[in-house]
Structure formats: C-alpha cells, structure tokens
Amino acid sequence: MPAAVLFPALWALAPGRISAGLTALSYFLAASRGLPVGVSVFYATDMGVALGFWLAASSLFVLVHTVLWTPKSGWQRPIRYAIAWILMSLPPFGITGWASPVTAAGVLFPGSGWLGLAATAAGLSMMTTRIWPIPTLVFSTAFALSALIWTQPKTPEGWTGIDTEFHHGSSGEHAGYEQHLATIHLVQDAATAGHTWIVLPESAFGIWTPTTERLWEHALAGLDVTVAGGAIVVTEAGYDSVMIEVSGKEARILYRERMPVPVSMWQPWSTGGASTQVFGNPTGSFAGTAIAPLICYEQLLVWPVLQSMVFEPDVIVATGNGWWTGDSNIVAIQKASAEAWASLFGVPLVMAFNT
C-alpha cells in the first residue's frame, strides 16, 4: 500500500495523455492482478474471457485519469488529481475504484482518523507537483515510523470471526444442510471457548428461509451467543446480499449490502441479480453494538467504509466468500484493506472469510 503513493507522481510525469492512460492501466492491472484467475474460476471459463473482464474492469479508472491528465504544471495537476481520486471513490465511477492509493492512509498514519486521511490526500496531490520529493520523504518517514509501532487492529473481547473452507463447485451453489451442520458445530465450539458474539463469513447461511431460521434458532437455543452471518434473501426483483443476526430466540436482517460485485452479482440491465443500496444503511446494530458492516467487494472500495465511519461505529465487521478466488491474492487484499481502514480510525475489527 505505501508504494501506491508513487502512482500520482508517475501519472503526472507522463510525457503525454496516452502515456498517462497507460500508466493508469498498468497500475490498475497490477493492483487487480488476481482478477483473471477469480473470473476463470467463478464463471468456469477460459483465461481469454477472464483477461477481457480484467481489461474491462480497468476502463473507468483509465478513462478518468486519461481525461484529467494535463501537460500544464502548477496548480492544475494537483487539483486534477484530487478530482480523479474523488471521482474514483464515489459512485458511479467509484464502483470500480479498487486499490485507491488513499487506502494507504491506514498504514502511513494509523490512529489518526480523518486528519490522517486528509494528510494522505494532500500528499498524493503534492506528488503531482515539482516538489514531489518532499511528500515522498514525508510518506517514507511515516511508513518507517508506522512499521516500528504497527499492531494489528484489535478484536473486541468476547468477539470472534470464524473462517471456513467450504468449496462450491459453481457460482449457483449455496450452503446445503451438511454445511449448515458443520457451521453450527464451529459456532458451538466457539461458544464453548467463551465467545459470545460470533461472526460468520458472507453467504454462510446460504438462502435465508423460515426453515433455515428455525434450524439455527433451535441449534443456538440454550447457548449464550449471538451470531452474525451472510445470507441471500430472495426478493421479487432478484435478491439481497445481507448479514443476518440470529440467536436462540430470534433472527433478523441487520445489514443489506450497499455494493455487490458488478456483473457477477449486481446486474442493473436485467432482473434476477443482487440489489444495491449504494448509500443505504451505513451501519448496523449487532447485539446492541454499532458496527460498520463491509461485505466482500465493499472492502475494496472507498466510499462504503468512509460513509460508515461518519457515524462512529464501535466495530468494523468484514466478511467475504472467496471460494472462487483460487490461489490469487484477492482475499489477502480484502483483508489488508479492512485492516488499513480499521487501523486508520482506531476501530476494532472482526473478520470472517470462506476460502
């Protein structure tokens, strides 16, 4: 992440608009290099199609940085770069705003909150000017100091995230009865170990139905635990990707995903896909605690976490389902992003992934 702060300087120093576009393309493709493998597994297709998806995903990032590049030095470059990263942080361009250099704020200035975010943003703009060595020195010093004092975001006492390794054969498969039983055993073991608030990965509950609800409520009866897990709720237009809170007494939806994965989940050109909330429900209440929920793809973007942080949640809850990512680094990037944001704002973090 700290190396990403060099991108604005490389973009600004490009000798022409085409070179600037190629610089942006190179950065995006390098940052999202695990995508072709993931696409080939998810769609069970050849690598040629996967490479096409990879290039298509970069189009908005390349377009914005190509159009906003300028050969003029002075105040125009830093302002134009600021416009570029803001555009790539907010919808509609921000729906593919992966690997934003501003995410490095959590590694460079841990615990500094909005001030650290502002300092990073200002430094990135300064990297496009003739005095770029100065912000480079500042960033390098901040990174060195951060490396000396770095600690992983804390997990609140009594909380735990359970990682699983359930492999699905295709994108249309969901948690079956055997997977539910295996997951219930994991939750019971966690309860025996003294954990009270347990987080499960995205899609851990599969398709949420009254039968599923009764199964889990019966399994948790008599246990002093509350579980949050991912599920799909079928609607007339398609489905919602949600987090469900369930205990031995009741179950409810605590969060609806704001930005599902475009194309594979969110398909605005047709019916049957996942719905998007965009700026809806930035926080949720889990067992009486205000949380910032981030489901899978949202961890790669900027606006979902910043919108949640405005409301000062007590815990960040990050979940994902990476069965389709193969041996790529996609899940690792998701976790690193969640850790960076939690570190920046000094908020405890609980993560749960299926890989």
Side-chain angles (χ1 to χ4, degrees):
M1 286 186 183
V5 301
L6 297 175
F7 167 69
L10 298 175
W11 171 79
L13 293 172
R17 192 175 301 278
I18 293 178
S19 298
L22 291 174
T23 300
L25 177 64
S26 300
Y27 172 82
F28 192 95
L29 295 183
S32 60
R33 61 191 180 277
L35 186 59
V37 172
V39 169
S40 65
V41 174
F42 188 88
Y43 290 106
T45 187
D46 58 56
M47 192 56 71
V49 174
L51 292 175
F53 269 86
W54 190 30
L55 290 171
S58 69
S59 58
L60 290 179
F61 187 88
V62 174
L63 174 65
V64 167
H65 286 86
T66 301
V67 170
L68 287 173
W69 181 86
T70 177
K72 299 179 181 179
S73 57
W75 60 269
Q76 289 199 36
R77 280 182 179 173
I79 290 180
R80 284 179 175 236
Y81 182 77
I83 294 173
W85 82 257
I86 291 173
L87 284 176
M88 290 309 304
S89 298
L90 299 173
F93 295 102
I95 64 173
T96 59
W98 316 338
S100 172
V102 79
T103 309
V107 179
L108 297 170
F109 305 109
S112 58
W114 296 103
L115 182 61
L117 181 67
T120 302
L124 291 173
S125 289
M126 290 177 63
M127 291 288 288
T128 66
T129 68
R130 293 176 179 176
I131 62 170
W132 65 266
I134 296 177
T136 300
L137 178 60
V138 173
F139 283 145
S140 299
T141 303
F143 177 49
L145 293 175
S146 173
L148 291 175
I149 64 173
W150 176 265
T151 57
Q152 292 294 107
K154 295 181 180 180
T155 300
E157 185 177 353
W159 292 59
T160 189
I162 296 179
D163 292 332
T164 57
E165 295 182 355
F166 297 116
H167 295 171
H168 299 158
S170 69
S171 59
E173 289 188 11
H174 300 285
Y177 181 63
E178 292 77 11
Q179 181 176 327
H180 278 291
L181 292 182
T183 307
I184 286 170
H185 287 312
L186 292 174
V187 170
Q188 290 171 338
D189 290 342
T192 301
H195 298 293
T196 304
W197 299 281
I198 300 171
V199 177
L200 298 176
E202 175 193 19
S203 302
F205 292 140
I207 299 176
W208 193 253
T209 66
T211 302
T212 308
E213 182 175 337
R214 287 194 297 270
L215 171 67
W216 274 90
E217 287 182 356
H218 178 74
L220 299 181
L223 295 178
D224 184 22
V225 297
T226 305
V227 178
I232 285 175
V233 175
V234 178
T235 66
E236 292 182 357
Y239 67 92
D240 291 339
S241 177
V242 303
M243 280 188 189
I244 299 285
E245 177 188 297
V246 60
S247 66
K249 299 179 180 179
E250 61 179 355
R252 67 180 183 88
I253 297 174
L254 69 88
Y255 175 68
R256 298 179 188 271
E257 187 173 13
R258 285 166 282 176
M259 191 64 242
V261 184
V263 182
S264 63
M265 294 178 65
W266 179 52
Q267 301 168 355
W269 57 87
S270 67
T271 58
S275 63
T276 177
Q277 308 296 320
V278 185
F279 293 109
N281 57 185
T283 60
S285 176
F286 173 50
T289 301
I291 66 170
L294 298 173
I295 298 178
C296 198
Y297 186 68
E298 295 173 329
Q299 296 148 22
L300 301 176
L301 308 177
V302 176
W303 96 82
V305 68
L306 294 187
Q307 182 196 13
S308 295
M309 289 301 105
V310 169
F311 296 89
E312 300 182 350
D314 298 312
V315 182
I316 294 176
V317 175
T319 64
N321 186 9
W323 66 268
W324 54 275
T325 58
D327 59 355
S328 71
N329 62 345
I330 293 175
V331 171
I333 292 176
Q334 289 176 307
K335 291 181 177 180
S337 297
E339 290 174 352
W341 290 120
S343 178
L344 176 65
F345 289 97
V347 178
L349 171 68
V350 181
M351 296 190 293
F353 283 81
N354 178 62
T355 57

Short mmCIF file of all heavy atoms in Angstrom, two decimals, residues 254-302:
data_model
loop_
_atom_site.label_atom_id
_atom_site.label_comp_id
_atom_site.label_asym_id
_atom_site.label_seq_id
_atom_site.Cartn_x
_atom_site.Cartn_y
_atom_site.Cartn_z
N LEU A 254 -29.69 -7.51 9.74
CA LEU A 254 -29.05 -6.35 10.36
C LEU A 254 -28.37 -5.44 9.33
O LEU A 254 -28.02 -4.31 9.64
CB LEU A 254 -28.07 -6.77 11.45
CG LEU A 254 -26.78 -7.50 11.07
CD1 LEU A 254 -25.65 -6.52 10.78
CD2 LEU A 254 -26.35 -8.41 12.22
N TYR A 255 -28.18 -5.97 8.08
CA TYR A 255 -27.50 -5.15 7.08
C TYR A 255 -27.78 -5.70 5.69
O TYR A 255 -27.79 -6.91 5.48
CB TYR A 255 -25.99 -5.15 7.34
CG TYR A 255 -25.16 -4.43 6.29
CD1 TYR A 255 -25.25 -3.06 6.14
CD2 TYR A 255 -24.31 -5.14 5.44
CE1 TYR A 255 -24.50 -2.40 5.17
CE2 TYR A 255 -23.55 -4.48 4.48
CZ TYR A 255 -23.65 -3.11 4.35
OH TYR A 255 -22.92 -2.46 3.39
N ARG A 256 -28.02 -4.80 4.75
CA ARG A 256 -28.13 -5.14 3.33
C ARG A 256 -26.95 -4.54 2.59
O ARG A 256 -26.68 -3.35 2.72
CB ARG A 256 -29.45 -4.62 2.75
CG ARG A 256 -30.69 -5.22 3.42
CD ARG A 256 -31.97 -4.67 2.83
NE ARG A 256 -33.13 -5.11 3.59
CZ ARG A 256 -33.80 -6.24 3.36
NH1 ARG A 256 -33.43 -7.01 2.35
NH2 ARG A 256 -34.84 -6.58 4.10
N GLU A 257 -26.25 -5.37 1.83
CA GLU A 257 -25.02 -4.92 1.17
C GLU A 257 -25.28 -3.71 0.28
O GLU A 257 -26.21 -3.71 -0.54
CB GLU A 257 -24.44 -6.06 0.35
CG GLU A 257 -23.07 -5.74 -0.24
CD GLU A 257 -22.43 -6.93 -0.92
OE1 GLU A 257 -23.13 -7.93 -1.16
OE2 GLU A 257 -21.23 -6.87 -1.21
N ARG A 258 -24.42 -2.71 0.42
CA ARG A 258 -24.58 -1.50 -0.37
C ARG A 258 -24.09 -1.66 -1.80
O ARG A 258 -24.69 -1.14 -2.74
CB ARG A 258 -23.82 -0.33 0.31
CG ARG A 258 -24.51 0.22 1.53
CD ARG A 258 -23.60 1.11 2.35
NE ARG A 258 -22.67 0.34 3.16
CZ ARG A 258 -21.72 0.87 3.92
NH1 ARG A 258 -21.55 2.18 3.95
NH2 ARG A 258 -20.92 0.09 4.65
N MET A 259 -22.97 -2.37 -1.99
CA MET A 259 -22.41 -2.50 -3.33
C MET A 259 -21.96 -3.93 -3.60
O MET A 259 -20.82 -4.30 -3.31
CB MET A 259 -21.23 -1.54 -3.51
CG MET A 259 -20.76 -1.39 -4.95
SD MET A 259 -22.03 -0.66 -6.02
CE MET A 259 -22.30 -2.00 -7.18
N PRO A 260 -22.85 -4.77 -4.14
CA PRO A 260 -22.43 -6.11 -4.55
C PRO A 260 -21.48 -6.04 -5.75
O PRO A 260 -21.35 -4.99 -6.39
CB PRO A 260 -23.75 -6.79 -4.95
CG PRO A 260 -24.83 -5.91 -4.38
CD PRO A 260 -24.27 -4.53 -4.34
N VAL A 261 -20.84 -7.13 -6.07
CA VAL A 261 -19.88 -7.17 -7.17
C VAL A 261 -20.61 -6.91 -8.49
O VAL A 261 -21.57 -7.61 -8.82
CB VAL A 261 -19.18 -8.54 -7.25
CG1 VAL A 261 -18.11 -8.52 -8.34
CG2 VAL A 261 -18.57 -8.91 -5.91
N PRO A 262 -20.18 -5.89 -9.25
CA PRO A 262 -20.82 -5.65 -10.54
C PRO A 262 -20.66 -6.85 -11.47
O PRO A 262 -19.67 -7.58 -11.42
CB PRO A 262 -20.05 -4.43 -11.08
CG PRO A 262 -19.48 -3.77 -9.87
CD PRO A 262 -19.16 -4.90 -8.92
N VAL A 263 -21.62 -7.06 -12.31
CA VAL A 263 -21.69 -8.11 -13.32
C VAL A 263 -22.02 -9.47 -12.71
O VAL A 263 -23.04 -10.07 -13.01
CB VAL A 263 -20.39 -8.21 -14.18
CG1 VAL A 263 -20.56 -9.30 -15.24
CG2 VAL A 263 -20.08 -6.87 -14.83
N SER A 264 -21.16 -9.98 -11.83
CA SER A 264 -21.42 -11.31 -11.28
C SER A 264 -22.59 -11.31 -10.31
O SER A 264 -23.32 -12.30 -10.20
CB SER A 264 -20.17 -11.84 -10.57
OG SER A 264 -19.82 -11.03 -9.47
N MET A 265 -22.82 -10.19 -9.59
CA MET A 265 -23.94 -10.11 -8.66
C MET A 265 -24.91 -8.99 -9.05
O MET A 265 -26.08 -9.23 -9.29
CB MET A 265 -23.42 -9.89 -7.22
CG MET A 265 -22.63 -11.06 -6.66
SD MET A 265 -21.97 -10.74 -5.00
CE MET A 265 -23.47 -10.59 -4.03
N TRP A 266 -24.39 -7.77 -9.11
CA TRP A 266 -25.23 -6.62 -9.46
C TRP A 266 -25.34 -6.51 -10.97
O TRP A 266 -24.34 -6.30 -11.67
CB TRP A 266 -24.64 -5.34 -8.87
CG TRP A 266 -25.43 -4.11 -9.19
CD1 TRP A 266 -26.77 -3.91 -8.99
CD2 TRP A 266 -24.93 -2.90 -9.76
NE1 TRP A 266 -27.14 -2.66 -9.41
CE2 TRP A 266 -26.03 -2.01 -9.88
CE3 TRP A 266 -23.67 -2.48 -10.18
CZ2 TRP A 266 -25.89 -0.73 -10.41
CZ3 TRP A 266 -23.53 -1.20 -10.70
CH2 TRP A 266 -24.63 -0.34 -10.81
N GLN A 267 -26.55 -6.66 -11.50
CA GLN A 267 -26.80 -6.64 -12.95
C GLN A 267 -27.96 -5.69 -13.25
O GLN A 267 -29.10 -6.12 -13.45
CB GLN A 267 -27.10 -8.05 -13.44
CG GLN A 267 -25.98 -9.04 -13.16
CD GLN A 267 -26.38 -10.49 -13.37
OE1 GLN A 267 -27.54 -10.81 -13.64
NE2 GLN A 267 -25.41 -11.38 -13.25
N PRO A 268 -27.69 -4.39 -13.25
CA PRO A 268 -28.78 -3.41 -13.41
C PRO A 268 -29.49 -3.48 -14.75
O PRO A 268 -30.59 -2.92 -14.90
CB PRO A 268 -28.06 -2.07 -13.23
CG PRO A 268 -26.63 -2.34 -13.59
CD PRO A 268 -26.37 -3.75 -13.13
N TRP A 269 -28.90 -4.14 -15.72
CA TRP A 269 -29.51 -4.24 -17.04
C TRP A 269 -30.55 -5.38 -17.13
O TRP A 269 -31.20 -5.55 -18.14
CB TRP A 269 -28.43 -4.48 -18.10
CG TRP A 269 -27.61 -5.72 -17.82
CD1 TRP A 269 -27.90 -7.00 -18.20
CD2 TRP A 269 -26.41 -5.78 -17.07
NE1 TRP A 269 -26.95 -7.86 -17.74
CE2 TRP A 269 -26.01 -7.14 -17.05
CE3 TRP A 269 -25.61 -4.83 -16.44
CZ2 TRP A 269 -24.85 -7.56 -16.40
CZ3 TRP A 269 -24.46 -5.25 -15.79
CH2 TRP A 269 -24.08 -6.60 -15.78
N SER A 270 -30.69 -6.15 -16.05
CA SER A 270 -31.63 -7.27 -16.08
C SER A 270 -32.22 -7.48 -14.70
O SER A 270 -31.82 -6.83 -13.73
CB SER A 270 -30.93 -8.54 -16.56
OG SER A 270 -29.96 -8.96 -15.60
N THR A 271 -33.15 -8.41 -14.57
CA THR A 271 -33.71 -8.79 -13.28
C THR A 271 -33.06 -10.10 -12.83
O THR A 271 -32.49 -10.83 -13.64
CB THR A 271 -35.23 -8.98 -13.37
OG1 THR A 271 -35.51 -9.99 -14.36
CG2 THR A 271 -35.92 -7.69 -13.75
N GLY A 272 -33.15 -10.35 -11.54
CA GLY A 272 -32.61 -11.59 -11.02
C GLY A 272 -31.29 -11.45 -10.31
O GLY A 272 -30.84 -12.38 -9.65
N GLY A 273 -30.64 -10.28 -10.42
CA GLY A 273 -29.36 -10.07 -9.75
C GLY A 273 -29.53 -9.49 -8.36
O GLY A 273 -30.64 -9.33 -7.84
N ALA A 274 -28.39 -9.16 -7.74
CA ALA A 274 -28.40 -8.57 -6.40
C ALA A 274 -28.78 -7.10 -6.47
O ALA A 274 -28.36 -6.39 -7.39
CB ALA A 274 -27.04 -8.74 -5.75
N SER A 275 -29.54 -6.65 -5.51
CA SER A 275 -29.90 -5.24 -5.44
C SER A 275 -28.76 -4.47 -4.79
O SER A 275 -27.93 -5.02 -4.08
CB SER A 275 -31.18 -5.04 -4.63
OG SER A 275 -30.98 -5.46 -3.28
N THR A 276 -28.73 -3.18 -5.07
CA THR A 276 -27.70 -2.32 -4.49
C THR A 276 -28.35 -1.21 -3.68
O THR A 276 -29.37 -0.64 -4.08
CB THR A 276 -26.81 -1.71 -5.59
OG1 THR A 276 -25.86 -0.81 -5.00
CG2 THR A 276 -27.62 -0.96 -6.62
N GLN A 277 -27.76 -0.90 -2.54
CA GLN A 277 -28.27 0.14 -1.65
C GLN A 277 -27.49 1.45 -1.81
O GLN A 277 -27.94 2.51 -1.42
CB GLN A 277 -28.18 -0.32 -0.18
CG GLN A 277 -28.79 -1.67 0.09
CD GLN A 277 -30.27 -1.72 -0.14
OE1 GLN A 277 -30.98 -0.78 0.21
NE2 GLN A 277 -30.76 -2.81 -0.71
N VAL A 278 -26.28 1.37 -2.38
CA VAL A 278 -25.35 2.49 -2.62
C VAL A 278 -25.03 3.23 -1.33
O VAL A 278 -24.00 3.00 -0.73
CB VAL A 278 -25.87 3.45 -3.71
CG1 VAL A 278 -24.82 4.52 -4.02
CG2 VAL A 278 -26.19 2.67 -4.99
N PHE A 279 -25.89 4.15 -0.90
CA PHE A 279 -25.62 4.92 0.32
C PHE A 279 -26.54 4.50 1.47
O PHE A 279 -26.64 5.20 2.48
CB PHE A 279 -25.77 6.41 0.05
CG PHE A 279 -24.72 6.97 -0.88
CD1 PHE A 279 -25.06 7.35 -2.16
CD2 PHE A 279 -23.40 7.09 -0.48
CE1 PHE A 279 -24.10 7.87 -3.03
CE2 PHE A 279 -22.44 7.60 -1.34
CZ PHE A 279 -22.79 7.98 -2.62
N GLY A 280 -27.21 3.38 1.33
CA GLY A 280 -28.13 2.94 2.38
C GLY A 280 -27.44 2.26 3.54
O GLY A 280 -26.30 1.82 3.43
N ASN A 281 -28.11 2.17 4.65
CA ASN A 281 -27.68 1.52 5.91
C ASN A 281 -26.16 1.43 6.10
O ASN A 281 -25.59 0.35 6.08
CB ASN A 281 -28.31 0.16 6.07
CG ASN A 281 -28.06 -0.85 4.94
OD1 ASN A 281 -28.63 -1.92 4.99
ND2 ASN A 281 -27.24 -0.55 3.98
N PRO A 282 -25.49 2.56 6.33
CA PRO A 282 -24.03 2.55 6.51
C PRO A 282 -23.57 1.86 7.78
O PRO A 282 -22.40 1.48 7.90
CB PRO A 282 -23.66 4.03 6.53
CG PRO A 282 -24.90 4.72 6.98
CD PRO A 282 -26.03 3.93 6.40
N THR A 283 -24.46 1.71 8.75
CA THR A 283 -24.12 1.00 9.98
C THR A 283 -25.26 0.03 10.32
O THR A 283 -26.35 0.12 9.77
CB THR A 283 -23.91 1.95 11.17
OG1 THR A 283 -25.11 2.69 11.40
CG2 THR A 283 -22.75 2.90 10.92
N GLY A 284 -24.97 -0.88 11.22
CA GLY A 284 -25.97 -1.80 11.71
C GLY A 284 -25.78 -2.00 13.19
O GLY A 284 -24.75 -1.61 13.76
N SER A 285 -26.75 -2.62 13.82
CA SER A 285 -26.66 -2.90 15.25
C SER A 285 -26.62 -4.41 15.43
O SER A 285 -27.56 -5.12 15.08
CB SER A 285 -27.87 -2.32 15.99
OG SER A 285 -27.83 -2.67 17.36
N PHE A 286 -25.51 -4.90 15.96
CA PHE A 286 -25.33 -6.32 16.21
C PHE A 286 -25.21 -6.55 17.71
O PHE A 286 -24.26 -6.07 18.33
CB PHE A 286 -24.10 -6.85 15.49
CG PHE A 286 -23.75 -8.28 15.81
CD1 PHE A 286 -24.72 -9.27 15.75
CD2 PHE A 286 -22.46 -8.63 16.17
CE1 PHE A 286 -24.40 -10.59 16.06
CE2 PHE A 286 -22.13 -9.94 16.48
CZ PHE A 286 -23.11 -10.93 16.42
N ALA A 287 -26.18 -7.23 18.27
CA ALA A 287 -26.21 -7.49 19.72
C ALA A 287 -26.06 -6.20 20.52
O ALA A 287 -25.38 -6.15 21.54
CB ALA A 287 -25.12 -8.48 20.10
N GLY A 288 -26.68 -5.12 20.01
CA GLY A 288 -26.66 -3.84 20.70
C GLY A 288 -25.42 -3.00 20.47
O GLY A 288 -25.28 -1.93 21.07
N THR A 289 -24.52 -3.46 19.60
CA THR A 289 -23.29 -2.73 19.30
C THR A 289 -23.36 -2.16 17.90
O THR A 289 -23.74 -2.85 16.95
CB THR A 289 -22.06 -3.66 19.41
OG1 THR A 289 -21.98 -4.20 20.72
CG2 THR A 289 -20.78 -2.91 19.09
N ALA A 290 -22.99 -0.89 17.75
CA ALA A 290 -22.99 -0.25 16.43
C ALA A 290 -21.80 -0.75 15.63
O ALA A 290 -20.65 -0.63 16.05
CB ALA A 290 -22.91 1.27 16.58
N ILE A 291 -22.07 -1.34 14.47
CA ILE A 291 -20.99 -1.88 13.64
C ILE A 291 -20.99 -1.23 12.26
O ILE A 291 -22.02 -0.72 11.80
CB ILE A 291 -21.12 -3.41 13.48
CG1 ILE A 291 -22.39 -3.77 12.68
CG2 ILE A 291 -21.12 -4.11 14.84
CD1 ILE A 291 -22.45 -5.23 12.28
N ALA A 292 -19.82 -1.26 11.63
CA ALA A 292 -19.69 -0.86 10.23
C ALA A 292 -19.53 -2.14 9.43
O ALA A 292 -18.46 -2.74 9.40
CB ALA A 292 -18.47 0.03 10.04
N PRO A 293 -20.60 -2.62 8.79
CA PRO A 293 -20.52 -3.88 8.06
C PRO A 293 -19.93 -3.66 6.67
O PRO A 293 -20.30 -2.72 5.96
CB PRO A 293 -21.98 -4.34 7.97
CG PRO A 293 -22.79 -3.29 8.69
CD PRO A 293 -21.95 -2.07 8.76
N LEU A 294 -19.01 -4.52 6.27
CA LEU A 294 -18.42 -4.48 4.94
C LEU A 294 -18.42 -5.90 4.39
O LEU A 294 -17.69 -6.77 4.88
CB LEU A 294 -16.98 -3.94 4.99
CG LEU A 294 -16.79 -2.51 5.49
CD1 LEU A 294 -15.30 -2.20 5.65
CD2 LEU A 294 -17.44 -1.51 4.55
N ILE A 295 -19.25 -6.14 3.39
CA ILE A 295 -19.34 -7.46 2.80
C ILE A 295 -18.48 -7.52 1.55
O ILE A 295 -18.73 -6.80 0.58
CB ILE A 295 -20.80 -7.83 2.46
CG1 ILE A 295 -21.66 -7.86 3.72
CG2 ILE A 295 -20.86 -9.18 1.75
CD1 ILE A 295 -23.13 -8.18 3.47
N CYS A 296 -17.48 -8.34 1.57
CA CYS A 296 -16.67 -8.72 0.42
C CYS A 296 -16.20 -7.54 -0.44
O CYS A 296 -15.25 -6.85 -0.10
CB CYS A 296 -17.44 -9.73 -0.44
SG CYS A 296 -16.40 -10.66 -1.59
N TYR A 297 -16.87 -7.28 -1.56
CA TYR A 297 -16.44 -6.28 -2.54
C TYR A 297 -16.34 -4.89 -1.93
O TYR A 297 -15.50 -4.07 -2.37
CB TYR A 297 -17.44 -6.29 -3.70
CG TYR A 297 -17.08 -5.40 -4.86
CD1 TYR A 297 -15.99 -5.70 -5.68
CD2 TYR A 297 -17.83 -4.28 -5.18
CE1 TYR A 297 -15.66 -4.91 -6.75
CE2 TYR A 297 -17.52 -3.48 -6.25
CZ TYR A 297 -16.43 -3.79 -7.04
OH TYR A 297 -16.11 -2.99 -8.11
N GLU A 298 -17.16 -4.60 -0.92
CA GLU A 298 -17.15 -3.28 -0.31
C GLU A 298 -15.81 -2.96 0.33
O GLU A 298 -15.46 -1.79 0.51
CB GLU A 298 -18.27 -3.18 0.73
CG GLU A 298 -19.66 -3.27 0.13
CD GLU A 298 -20.76 -3.36 1.16
OE1 GLU A 298 -20.50 -3.91 2.25
OE2 GLU A 298 -21.87 -2.88 0.90
N GLN A 299 -15.05 -3.98 0.70
CA GLN A 299 -13.75 -3.76 1.34
C GLN A 299 -12.72 -3.21 0.37
O GLN A 299 -11.69 -2.66 0.78
CB GLN A 299 -13.26 -5.08 1.94
CG GLN A 299 -14.14 -5.60 3.05
CD GLN A 299 -14.17 -7.11 3.12
OE1 GLN A 299 -13.25 -7.78 2.64
NE2 GLN A 299 -15.23 -7.67 3.70
N LEU A 300 -12.97 -3.34 -0.93
CA LEU A 300 -12.04 -2.85 -1.95
C LEU A 300 -12.31 -1.42 -2.36
O LEU A 300 -11.53 -0.81 -3.07
CB LEU A 300 -12.11 -3.75 -3.19
CG LEU A 300 -11.80 -5.23 -2.98
CD1 LEU A 300 -12.02 -6.00 -4.29
CD2 LEU A 300 -10.37 -5.42 -2.49
N LEU A 301 -13.45 -0.88 -1.92
CA LEU A 301 -13.88 0.45 -2.33
C LEU A 301 -13.63 1.46 -1.21
O LEU A 301 -13.32 1.09 -0.09
CB LEU A 301 -15.36 0.42 -2.71
CG LEU A 301 -15.76 -0.65 -3.73
CD1 LEU A 301 -17.26 -0.63 -3.97
CD2 LEU A 301 -15.00 -0.47 -5.05
N VAL A 302 -13.81 2.73 -1.54
CA VAL A 302 -13.53 3.79 -0.59
C VAL A 302 -14.79 4.29 0.12
O VAL A 302 -14.82 4.42 1.35
CB VAL A 302 -12.81 4.98 -1.27
CG1 VAL A 302 -12.62 6.13 -0.30
CG2 VAL A 302 -11.47 4.53 -1.84
#
